Amino acid sequence: MKKKKNDYKPLELVLVIWIDAEEEGEIGWNDFKSIQKYSKKPCPKIQSVGHVVYHNDTHIALVSSLSEDRKNSSSCEKIPTAFIQEIIHLVPDKG
């Protein structure tokens, strides 16, 4: 039986707080003192909100937008589990 557009179970909506890896420098040689200074800065803390497409022990995959018939979506953002600090499950306000 073919699913109707409203027969899909809603995907879980979450806020993922995670630390991003980053890189500094240009191709070729870089000033090492500048690299040393940069290396001491903390990695950026990122907040991503999306529908959970997949989640296992290695990563979580989110899309921010999804068509009602699930034929189209925004790009997929994959976040390694080791980078994740917190996952907050977002639920609709029933009040």
Side-chain angles (χ1 to χ4, degrees), residues 1-92:
M1 179 177 184
K2 189 174 180 178
K3 287 191 174 208
K4 296 177 188 172
K5 65 180 178 181
N6 292 332
D7 286 347
Y8 294 102
K9 180 181 172 189
L11 295 179
E12 187 175 15
L13 187 61
V14 297
L15 166 64
V16 179
I17 300 170
W18 56 289
I19 302 298
D20 197 7
E22 62 179 355
E23 204 173 309
E24 175 70 13
E26 302 295 326
I27 296 173
W29 294 106
N30 292 275
D31 178 66
F32 186 61
K33 285 194 183 276
S34 295
I35 295 296
Q36 284 180 307
K37 182 178 177 183
Y38 172 80
S39 71
K40 296 174 185 174
K41 294 181 179 180
C43 291
K45 185 180 272 193
I46 309 297
Q47 295 184 10
S48 297
V49 176
H51 302 278
V52 179
V53 177
Y54 183 78
H55 188 194
N56 69 7
D57 60 341
T58 65
H59 71 279
I60 190 169
L62 310 174
V63 295
S64 61
S65 299
L66 180 63
S67 66
E68 189 175 34
D69 62 7
R70 296 204 179 169
K71 290 185 178 181
N72 298 290
S73 74
S74 58
S75 61
C76 181
E77 179 177 10
K78 291 171 59 174
I79 305 166
T81 302
F83 291 15
I84 297 172
Q85 291 192 320
E86 185 177 5
I87 297 175
I88 299 169
H89 301 272
L90 306 175
V91 294

